[in-house]
Amino acid sequence: MAEKIRVTVVTEYTPNLGHYPVETVEDAMRFDARENPFVEFPEAYLDDPSELVSVTYEVVPAE
């Protein structure tokens, strides 16, 4: 198998708790993980460039 490039994106955002059926940020995090997973809704997490904390690139060796 060929080598690959891995891109790791770290984003941080302040949830608008008025848009969640929960009361705490911790519960909002659990709600997002369960109901709004990144792999299904990446545009929702990457819509504001100011929320990007870091982006790293690395080579993933062939298996």
Side-chain angles (χ1 to χ4, degrees):
M1 181 175 280
E3 291 181 318
K4 297 178 183 180
I5 296 174
R6 176 180 296 146
V7 179
T8 304
V9 177
V10 177
T11 181
E12 294 179 356
Y13 58 96
T14 302
N16 180 342
L17 293 179
H19 293 157
Y20 289 84
V22 299
E23 294 184 12
T24 69
V25 172
E26 186 172 348
D27 289 339
M29 179 267 310
R30 287 191 185 101
F31 180 86
D32 276 350
R34 183 180 64 248
E35 302 293 331
N36 300 315
F38 181 88
V39 295
E40 291 183 34
F41 305 102
E43 68 283 352
Y45 292 93
L46 299 174
D47 66 339
D48 184 352
S50 71
E51 296 175 341
L52 289 175
V53 175
S54 68
V55 179
T56 58
Y57 298 80
E58 61 187 297
V59 172
V60 178
E63 293 180 7

